Amino acid sequence: MDNRKIKVGITHGDINGIGYEIILKTLEDPRIAELCTPIVYGSAKIAAFYRKMMELPEVKFSQIDTPSEASSNGEHNYMINVVPESVMPEAGQCTQAGGAAALSALERAVSDLREGLIDVLVTCPISKDTIHGEEFSFPGHTEFLESRVGDGSKAMMIMAGENLRVALVTIHKSLADVSGNITKETVYDSIARFNKSLISDFGIHSPRIAVLSLNPHAGDNGVIGTEDNEIIEPAIAEAYKKHIFAFGPYAADGFFGSGNYRKFDGVLAMYHDQGLIPFKLLAAERGINFTAGMPVVRTSPDHGTAFDIAGKGEADPQSLREAIYMALDIYRNRLREKEATANPLKKQNFDRGARE
C-alpha cells in the first residue's frame, strides 16, 4: 500500500459561519499535519482575521497555487487562496459574498479532487440560502458532488459516528414528496449500495442492516399505510435473496428508543429527519457526513454554519477532526479493498467422478 501522506483538501465553507474557527482550532494541533497533508481552499487574509478576532493560537500556512506544490514529507499546513483579497467576512451574517466565496472554494477543490491532485475532500458547512444561484442549483453538497465527480454513479448520504451509521433512501426531499419516491426499486437499491459501502468504505464484512419503516408502527399491518407491507418488506426480501443481511422494517421510534440500533452495522432510514434527528442526538459532536457511492472520498462535519455563534470562539472543532480522520480511514479502506480484490483466484471446476 502507498505509505505517503494523504493530501486532504479542506474547503472553508461560508466565510461568515464557523468554518474558519473550526479549521484553525483543528490545525493548531500539530498531530493533524503529522497524519496527513492539510490543504485549505480559502483565504489566508480571512484566516488571519478570525484568528485575531477570537485570539486563537497562530496556525502557519504555506501558501501554494496548486496541491502539487505541497510536500507529503514535512509537517505543514497549506493554503490555496480562492477568493479575491478584497473579500472580507461579516461574522454571523447571511451574505451573497459569503456564498460566492464558499462556491469558489468548493469548485476549485472538487476540480483538484477529480484531477487527483488531492486524495480526499473535507467540506466545511455552507449556507444553502447564500450559495444558491445559476452555478449552484443543488439541495446540498451531496447532489453537487454527484453531478461533478459521480461519473454516472448515484451518491448516498451516510451519517457516521463511532458505533452508528445511518443512510437515507431519500435525501433532500420535502415530506410531501417522500412517499412518492419510496418504491421497491429505490429501497432495494439503497440497501445494496449501503451494503457495498459498509464493506468497502468501512471494512465491515457481512454487515447487518436495519431498515426503518416509512409509517408509524411499521404501518400496523396496513392500518396506517400499506407501503411497509407492499414496498419495503419485498425490497428487504429481495436483498436477503442476494445474500445481503437486511432486516425490518422497524418502527423508528421504538427502534432507537430501545437501543436496538446497537445490534446493527448500519441503519437505513426512509427520509432525512427520520434518520438524522436520532443520529445527531446519539453521535453528538462526533458525527460525520460521508458521501458514499462516489469514486472519490468526501466527508464533512454533521453541523451547519452556526451563524449564531460565528466569531465568538464557542465552536467545537471535534466534528471536523473526526471528518478528517474518517476521510483518511475510508481512503485507506478502499485501497485495501482494491488490493484484496485485484487478482482473485480463478474458479476451478473439478469432475468429482474422474480418476487419475
Side-chain angles (χ1 to χ4, degrees):
M1 185 182 293
D2 190 351
N3 291 320
R4 68 179 176 80
K5 282 188 180 180
I6 298 169
K7 291 185 177 181
V8 180
I10 304 171
T11 57
H12 61 184
D14 193 295
I15 60 174
N16 299 322
I18 60 171
Y20 275 98
E21 180 180 349
I22 60 176
I23 288 172
L24 292 170
K25 286 181 175 179
T26 296
L27 298 185
E28 74 181 31
D29 185 341
R31 291 174 296 182
I32 299 296
E34 292 174 5
L35 288 172
C36 62
T37 302
I39 302 172
V40 177
Y41 290 79
S43 164
K45 186 176 181 181
I46 296 175
F49 170 87
Y50 277 112
R51 183 185 65 79
K52 292 176 182 177
M53 171 187 281
M54 293 175 285
E55 298 181 344
L56 298 174
E58 183 177 3
V59 176
K60 293 184 178 180
F61 291 97
S62 298
Q63 296 192 44
I64 55 177
D65 294 321
T66 174
S68 59
E69 297 175 22
S71 171
S72 293
N73 298 320
E75 297 173 4
H76 303 284
N77 299 304
Y78 295 92
M79 174 77 72
I80 296 179
N81 286 299
V82 295
V83 296
E85 286 288 306
S86 59
V87 174
M88 288 302 293
E90 298 177 58
Q93 301 302 308
C94 199
T95 68
Q96 293 303 310
L103 182 58
S104 293
L106 184 59
E107 288 189 321
R108 173 63 190 276
V110 169
S111 175
D112 287 350
L113 183 66
R114 186 178 183 88
E115 295 299 318
L117 298 177
I118 56 176
D119 298 306
V120 299
L121 175 63
V122 179
T123 59
C124 286
I126 59 174
S127 166
K128 309 294 196 313
D129 290 339
T130 62
I131 201 171
H132 264 264
E134 292 183 3
E135 297 179 10
F136 192 99
S137 57
F138 305 92
H141 276 116
T142 303
E143 295 83 357
F144 176 83
L145 287 161
E146 182 180 274
S147 171
R148 292 293 193 273
V149 294
D151 293 336
S153 300
K154 188 175 181 181
M156 168 173 271
M157 178 189 287
I158 296 179
M159 305 302 290
E162 187 175 359
N163 295 307
L164 178 62
R165 301 164 199 87
V166 176
L168 307 175
V169 176
T170 63
I171 304 176
H172 296 118
K173 296 285 185 185
S174 70
L175 281 178
D177 294 332
V178 167
S179 62
N181 285 273
I182 301 297
T183 66
K184 179 183 174 182
E185 289 73 25
T186 59
V187 174
Y188 168 76
D189 180 63
S190 297
I191 294 171
R193 290 189 293 119
F194 193 17
N195 182 72
K196 182 178 180 181
S197 179
L198 290 170
I199 295 170
S200 61
D201 297 328
F202 294 93
I204 302 170
H205 296 285
S206 301
R208 290 168 53 87
I209 298 172
V211 181
L212 301 183
S213 65
L214 175 65
N215 298 303
H217 305 189
D220 271 343
N221 289 320
V223 175
I224 313 178
T226 60
E227 291 90 349
D228 297 296
N229 289 342
E230 297 178 357
I231 295 174
I232 299 177
E233 284 186 9
I236 293 171
E238 182 66 23
Y240 208 82
K241 288 179 183 177
K242 302 292 177 60
H243 307 291
I244 297 173
F245 298 117
F247 306 88
Y250 297 99
D253 57 349
F255 179 81
F256 285 106
S258 66
N260 202 20
Y261 66 90
R262 298 188 184 96
K263 301 175 182 177
F264 296 89
D265 300 299
V267 180
L268 181 66
M270 293 298 113
Y271 56 92
H272 188 280
D273 285 9
Q274 183 189 52
L276 268 59
I277 289 175
F279 174 82
K280 291 190 177 186
L281 286 170
L282 293 166
E285 71 277 358
R286 293 185 178 273
I288 303 303
N289 182 345
F290 165 53
T291 304
M294 298 287 95
V296 297
V297 176
R298 174 260 175 173
T299 62
S300 176
D302 75 343
H303 56 70
T305 54
F307 287 135
D308 57 322
I309 61 170
K312 297 180 180 180
E314 300 175 3
D316 188 339
Q318 187 60 39
S319 188
L320 178 60
R321 291 194 194 104
E322 297 292 337
I324 293 172
Y325 299 153
M326 184 168 289
L328 299 175
D329 288 343
I330 291 172
Y331 183 81
R332 295 190 182 103
N333 284 340
R334 287 189 176 185
L335 287 181
R336 292 188 188 100
E337 179 76 8
K338 185 177 180 179
E339 289 179 2
T341 59
N343 297 297
L345 294 174
K346 292 182 179 180
K347 187 175 181 180
Q348 301 289 332
N349 293 315
F350 296 97
D351 184 353
R352 294 182 180 274
R355 294 184 178 180
E356 294 184 359

